[in-house]
Amino acid sequence: GSSPVTTQVPHAVGVALAAKLKKEELVTFVSFGEGSSNQGDFHEGANFAGVHKLPVILFCENNKYAISVPLSKQLACERVSDRAKGYGMPGVTVDGTDPIAVYVAVKEARERALRGEGPTLIEAEVERLVPHSSDDDDKAYRSAEELAELKHRDGNQLFRARLIEDGIATAEELASIESAVDAEVNEATTYADKAPYASPESTLDHVYEGEM
Ligand SMILES: Cc1ncc(C[n+]2csc(CCOP(=O)(O)OP(=O)(O)O)c2C)c(N)n1
Ligand SMILES: [Mg+2]
């Protein structure tokens, strides 16, 4: 977990470079928001990955807002995936509320990376269903109509309906999965709340190789 956004992109690209040098069969997958794709770390990482044809999947969740900043104030091009061309890699946009479409795009990107053809930028279009955080009031910058539309674009609900409609799962089976997941999340939250703070000395763990 990391609070600074997009610092993970250069890390993922570095791990992909190490895998290529060591001739390991490995593809790194890194995700970030569309707001984060405006920061330098994304562009430096994408460029390096493109130049060196590294096995990395850059996965952007485009929910059209960076806190209160709408997409129109973030991008001068139409889509986040348009940026891929500048870094010599394919860029694809998929409906992020459709897990099957996302699976297909990621599978293709992985196979491409394993063939040594380099990185792929995937943009998954989703919705931000709630305010950015508990301190944020989205009614200050999103219209009532826009917020009302969101209830039709909840990927979890759409996929749930599709599984039932296609006869893949029953409402009862899905309810039992949901309660198992709720229990797991509650258990993990309690565990985290009760966990001791990390020792100050652990700050340097994984920063330098070997003993300090
Ligand atoms: C390096 C860095 N700069 C600025 C911030 C402050 N910040 C927190 S969330 C956010 C917007 C992120 O927008 P987006 O990438 O679209 O993610 P979303 O909130 O939509 O998930 C910013 C700028 C941060 N956390 N890290
Ligand atoms: Mg966003």
Side-chain angles (χ1 to χ4, degrees), residues 3-5 7 32-36 39 63 65-67 74 128 132:
S3 174
V5 299
T7 52
F32 47 89
E34 90 296 337
S36 309
Q39 294 185 191
N63 64 7
Y65 282 91
I67 311 184
Q74 296 187 50
R128 202 186 72 198
H132 175 77

Side-chain angles (χ1 to χ4, degrees), residues 29-117:
F29 175 96
V30 60
S31 68
F32 47 89
E34 90 296 337
S36 309
S37 79
N38 303 314
Q39 294 185 191
D41 303 56
F42 164 77
H43 295 279
E44 292 168 39
N47 189 55
F48 194 90
V51 168
H52 296 282
K53 291 207 177 310
L54 300 180
V56 54
I57 300 170
L58 299 159
F59 189 90
C60 176
E61 291 175 64
N62 179 0
N63 64 7
K64 299 145 199 158
Y65 282 91
I67 311 184
S68 56
V69 181
L71 196 61
S72 59
K73 293 266 164 55
Q74 296 187 50
L75 259 65
C77 51
E78 194 189 342
R79 297 172 184 279
V80 175
S81 60
D82 292 339
R83 292 175 156 171
K85 183 147 182 54
Y87 302 120
M89 67 179 85
V92 290
T93 299
V94 291
D95 178 359
T97 69
D98 178 351
I100 306 297
V102 172
Y103 174 80
V104 170
V106 173
K107 187 171 189 286
E108 282 170 5
R110 178 180 173 274
E111 285 162 2
R112 195 183 120 74
L114 287 176
R115 288 195 303 269
E117 292 170 27

